[in-house]
Amino acid sequence: MGPSVLFPLLHRLSSPLRTVTPTWGRWLLRQLPPPSCTRTRCTPSFPGLNSQHIRGMCVESTLSHIKELSPPEQRLLNKLYEGLISGQRASLAESITLVETQHPRKKELAQVLLQRVLAHRKEQEKQNGGKPLAFRVGLSGPPGAGKSTFIEVVGKMLTGQGHKVSVLAVDPSSCTTGGSLMGDKTRMTELSRDMSAFIRPSPTSGTLGGVTRTTNEAIVLCEGGGYDIVLVETVGVGQSEFAVADMVDMFVLLIPPAGGDELQGIKRGIIEKADLVVVTKADGDLLVPARRIQAEYTSALKLLRKKSKSWNPKVVRVSSQTGEGVAELWGKMEAFHSATLSSGDFQDRRRAQHKVWMWSLIQENVLRHFQEHPAVRGELPQLEDRVTRGAISPGLAADLLLKAFTSSSSSSSSQ
């Protein structure tokens, strides 16, 4: 949660609303990092808060405009949180809907809920010796690779072993209408009826690679709901579709037989991110091509630089129709989990991912602020028209807009 949301809520939750929900103010205070900054100007004044709670985070006095939580909002967040941690699938679905919203006020409520879930998860991990409780697996592959069928077979096997499995399946949105078919859940008929599984289809909404900006937050909510296996299915593969690899513990690439030779696999670039390559549909007439593809990709992986000192990417062959190779596949995934946990790569990877997603969200928000800036909005129509007419180059138009933005920002800060 950013300072613009956190501190106004702290201010209001620690004083007048404390009589309504006394645990909220104290809980939020515990989420603040330990003191790290001793500069006086970094410590804003908030009634009811000790300076040691907020030292180390520079907050401007102009960030106190967020409205306080109303009693209905408090009841909603308490209801969602209590239902979520008790394992109610309806509360999990409603919580994910809240984090996916674009409504400004609901986005603030979603961040408050997320912080509370994060605190709950951190307490559970502390009781587990500091080790993460959930295993996040990203699944990607070309259309027709059998991702949904594969997920249902693996998911049913895992729930049968006592695991709780959540599936975040991302469906492509239409570039014309903006709609999405949401067909993944209909393909997983058996898994969707399993009470130990939760399937959530989400539209890409134009996001490259099929990973929405809220997918990472949905993973946190699933883990808060007690799901120890989180499967994230993405749309297609390609050079720029690496977002899922930066939010999961293990990235699995699914390829069908006759999907091209090993050179095609390397050229896709995505194979460099894979911790495990799965050749699907290895049955019947496709068994021989599947064996050939497995051998070719095994050779190709030897040419790539190792990502981890504790794990060498493997290539396995499975059949979702006959179930052959599925148990072996899960054995490889468990071996990866154990090896990376023992070496510390697992924890290092998660810490690095937090930084990646922080900068990703910063870039997204900076672009939005740039587009909404009055100076940019004033110049944009004219420059767009000149670009479309060929009067100026797109690069020059971009430079002029950036100059208008920086000049206006500099003049505002000097006043």
Side-chain angles (χ1 to χ4, degrees), residues 286-351:
L286 294 176
L287 182 58
V288 174
R291 287 174 177 168
R292 186 182 69 251
I293 289 293
Q294 181 183 17
E296 290 176 346
Y297 271 82
T298 301
S299 300
L301 287 171
K302 295 177 182 177
L303 303 176
L304 301 178
R305 182 180 301 175
K306 288 181 61 176
K307 293 194 311 173
S308 170
K309 297 179 181 179
S310 59
W311 178 256
N312 291 320
K314 306 290 192 297
V315 184
V316 297
R317 193 176 66 246
V318 302
S319 169
S320 299
Q321 184 174 1
T322 65
E324 184 180 354
V326 175
E328 178 192 354
L329 166 71
W330 178 242
K332 299 285 187 187
M333 296 171 75
E334 285 186 312
F336 171 88
H337 190 216
S338 301
T340 52
L341 267 179
S342 302
S343 66
D345 288 345
F346 193 96
Q347 296 87 334
D348 292 342
R349 189 169 184 170
R350 282 206 177 181
R351 284 191 286 266

Side-chain angles (χ1 to χ4, degrees), residues 139-152 184 188 233-236 254 280:
L139 300 163
S140 189
K147 294 187 292 294
S148 298
T149 307
F150 171 81
I151 289 173
E152 178 166 52
D184 284 304
M188 307 178 196
E233 178 194 352
T234 66
V235 180
L254 278 68
T280 59

Side-chain angles (χ1 to χ4, degrees), residues 242-408:
F242 296 145
V244 67
D246 289 322
M247 66 171 68
V248 295
D249 305 316
M250 185 178 196
F251 180 60
V252 179
L253 176 63
L254 278 68
I255 53 173
D261 58 15
E262 70 274 18
L263 182 59
Q264 291 293 329
I266 294 176
K267 283 199 298 184
R268 287 193 185 108
I270 195 74
I271 194 174
E272 297 175 351
K273 290 282 188 177
D275 300 300
L276 186 66
V277 178
V278 179
V279 182
T280 59
K281 304 182 180 181
D283 51 58
D285 294 338
L286 294 176
L287 182 58
V288 174
R291 287 174 177 168
R292 186 182 69 251
I293 289 293
Q294 181 183 17
E296 290 176 346
Y297 271 82
T298 301
S299 300
L301 287 171
K302 295 177 182 177
L303 303 176
L304 301 178
R305 182 180 301 175
K306 288 181 61 176
K307 293 194 311 173
S308 170
K309 297 179 181 179
S310 59
W311 178 256
N312 291 320
K314 306 290 192 297
V315 184
V316 297
R317 193 176 66 246
V318 302
S319 169
S320 299
Q321 184 174 1
T322 65
E324 184 180 354
V326 175
E328 178 192 354
L329 166 71
W330 178 242
K332 299 285 187 187
M333 296 171 75
E334 285 186 312
F336 171 88
H337 190 216
S338 301
T340 52
L341 267 179
S342 302
S343 66
D345 288 345
F346 193 96
Q347 296 87 334
D348 292 342
R349 189 169 184 170
R350 282 206 177 181
R351 284 191 286 266
Q353 288 171 354
H354 294 158
K355 186 186 296 185
V356 168
W357 275 93
M358 180 191 75
W359 281 108
S360 175
L361 294 175
I362 287 174
Q363 290 175 2
E364 180 180 317
N365 286 319
V366 166
L367 178 60
R368 180 173 55 84
H369 286 304
F370 174 80
Q371 293 171 332
E372 295 175 354
H373 195 277
V376 174
R377 295 177 68 179
E379 297 285 343
L380 189 58
Q382 179 186 0
L383 289 174
E384 282 183 336
D385 180 63
R386 294 175 66 185
V387 168
T388 54
R389 287 188 290 106
I392 61 174
S393 67
L396 177 57
D399 291 340
L400 292 173
L401 287 172
L402 287 169
K403 184 177 181 180
F405 177 76
T406 54
S407 300
S408 177

Side-chain angles (χ1 to χ4, degrees), residues 70-286:
S70 65
E73 289 172 340
Q74 294 172 29
R75 288 194 294 270
L76 171 65
L77 292 180
N78 282 330
K79 172 192 168 188
L80 290 178
Y81 174 73
E82 296 297 337
L84 182 67
I85 64 173
S86 64
Q88 296 178 14
R89 295 196 295 180
S91 295
L92 174 56
E94 193 173 349
S95 299
I96 294 178
T97 300
L98 186 64
V99 302
E100 288 179 343
T101 184
Q102 295 300 313
H103 189 279
R105 180 57 177 172
K106 290 182 179 179
K107 287 172 72 173
E108 295 171 2
L109 298 180
Q111 290 303 316
V112 175
L113 176 63
L114 279 166
Q115 288 299 319
R116 197 172 182 187
V117 173
L118 281 170
H120 172 72
R121 192 186 69 180
K122 187 172 292 186
E123 184 64 28
Q124 287 184 317
E125 290 179 354
K126 185 178 179 181
Q127 297 174 2
N128 194 42
K131 296 180 180 180
L133 296 171
F135 185 29
R136 308 170 181 175
V137 180
L139 300 163
S140 189
K147 294 187 292 294
S148 298
T149 307
F150 171 81
I151 289 173
E152 178 166 52
V153 171
V154 173
K156 286 297 293 181
M157 181 193 72
L158 293 175
T159 56
Q161 295 177 2
H163 293 281
K164 291 190 67 178
V165 180
S166 65
V167 180
L168 300 176
V170 186
D171 277 347
S173 298
S174 169
C175 297
T176 305
T177 64
S180 186
L181 186 60
M182 301 293 189
D184 284 304
K185 197 168 184 177
T186 61
R187 295 195 191 102
M188 307 178 196
T189 53
E190 293 295 325
L191 191 61
S192 62
R193 291 196 291 263
D194 195 320
M195 294 306 295
S196 297
F198 173 81
I199 303 175
R200 173 73 179 203
S202 299
T204 61
S205 302
T207 306
L208 185 63
V211 180
T212 67
R213 68 176 301 274
T214 57
T215 301
N216 200 35
E217 296 171 339
I219 291 174
V220 172
L221 293 174
C222 289
E223 293 177 356
Y227 292 89
D228 59 328
I229 307 291
V230 181
L231 305 178
V232 184
E233 178 194 352
T234 66
V235 180
V237 293
Q239 282 289 107
S240 55
E241 298 181 3
F242 296 145
V244 67
D246 289 322
M247 66 171 68
V248 295
D249 305 316
M250 185 178 196
F251 180 60
V252 179
L253 176 63
L254 278 68
I255 53 173
D261 58 15
E262 70 274 18
L263 182 59
Q264 291 293 329
I266 294 176
K267 283 199 298 184
R268 287 193 185 108
I270 195 74
I271 194 174
E272 297 175 351
K273 290 282 188 177
D275 300 300
L276 186 66
V277 178
V278 179
V279 182
T280 59
K281 304 182 180 181
D283 51 58
D285 294 338
L286 294 176

